[in-house]
Every structure is written in C-alpha cells, then in structure tokens.
C-alpha cells in the first residue's frame, strides 16, 4: 500500500459515522445502509487499498460472479420466532380470577 493510501486509511479513524457514511457513498456510488462504524471503516479502507493497488483481477471478478450466481440468497427476512422463555411459559387457568367466582355471590332475580 502506498504511503498516501496508508495516510488516508489512518485518517478514517478520526471521522464520525456520518462522515464515514458520506465518504462511503462517494467511493461506492450508493447509499451507506450500515451505521456500524467498524464495518463502514473497513469497507472504505478496503476500497481505498483496492483502488491504489488496482483492485481484483478479471479472473477473480469472473469467479466471484460465478460463485454469487450459484449461491442461494434469501430475499425475505426470516419470520420472527418466540424466544425460548416465551415458548416454555405455561398458561394456567386460575379459577379465583374467573368471572364465575367473582359473581357467584350475586343472585339473579326475575323482574316479575
């Protein structure tokens, strides 16, 4: 890595996540969807280094394209699942709280 690129990567540590996101958008040409500072920092550093050293070879890009085409990509998020605590809860009927016991002392009388 060239000294200039090494200096650019070192300066990334001083940037806020907002500044990193703006730099990401400028370098990659797309909106930065992550707010994980470490992830964005690493992606920018990789891009700076790849630009400095020429990026991936054509062969590597072709192979990555083939592998990506063969992979199974989930397009929808998984359904939310109940936690194990929620699943293990047993709902018991408590007759002392039932409607029947609360009104047992009242006698229904006919208006006639």
């Amino acid at each position: 890595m060239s000294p200039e690129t090494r200096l650019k990567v070192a300066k990334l540590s001083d940037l806020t996540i907002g500044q990193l996101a703006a730099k990401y958008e400028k370098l990659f040409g797309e909106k930065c969807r992550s707010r994980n500072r470490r992830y964005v920092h690493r992606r920018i550093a990789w891009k700076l280094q790849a630009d400095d050293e020429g990026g991936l070879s054509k062969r590597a890009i072709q192979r990555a394209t083939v592998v990506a085409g063969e992979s199974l990509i989930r397009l929808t998020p998984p359904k939310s699942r109940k936690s194990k605590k929620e699943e293990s809860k047993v709902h018991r009927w408590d007759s002392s709280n039932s409607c029947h016991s609360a009104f047992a002392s009242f006698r229904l009388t006919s208006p006639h």
Side-chain angles (χ1 to χ4, degrees):
M1 184 173 8
S2 72
E4 295 84 22
T5 302
R6 193 177 306 274
L7 183 61
K8 288 178 185 177
V9 170
K11 287 182 179 181
L12 293 175
S13 299
D14 298 332
L15 300 179
T16 65
I17 186 61
Q19 293 168 325
L20 285 171
K23 189 161 193 75
Y24 179 96
E25 291 170 12
K26 181 180 173 188
L27 285 172
F28 288 93
E30 62 185 44
K31 187 173 179 3
C32 181
R33 297 180 303 176
S34 177
R35 285 304 197 210
N36 183 316
R37 190 177 189 292
R38 188 174 182 188
Y39 170 79
V40 176
H41 181 276
R42 286 181 176 180
R43 292 278 295 162
I44 293 170
W46 176 85
K47 179 70 169 157
L48 291 172
Q49 184 178 357
D51 289 348
D52 181 44
E53 296 182 7
L56 297 173
S57 66
K58 288 182 181 181
R59 183 172 180 239
I61 292 171
Q62 288 173 342
R63 179 66 184 139
T65 304
V66 169
V67 170
E70 294 171 353
S71 67
L72 299 174
I73 299 173
R74 184 178 200 122
L75 298 176
T76 58
K79 292 181 181 178
S80 64
R81 300 174 118 191
K82 291 183 179 179
S83 69
K84 289 187 179 187
K85 280 187 176 182
E86 289 176 327
E87 288 177 357
S88 66
K89 285 183 183 177
V90 177
H91 297 285
R92 298 177 191 265
W93 177 256
D94 184 5
S95 62
S96 64
N97 291 334
S98 71
C99 235
H100 177 71
S101 64
F103 294 105
S105 62
F106 293 103
R107 179 175 284 192
L108 294 176
T109 57
S110 172
H112 298 296

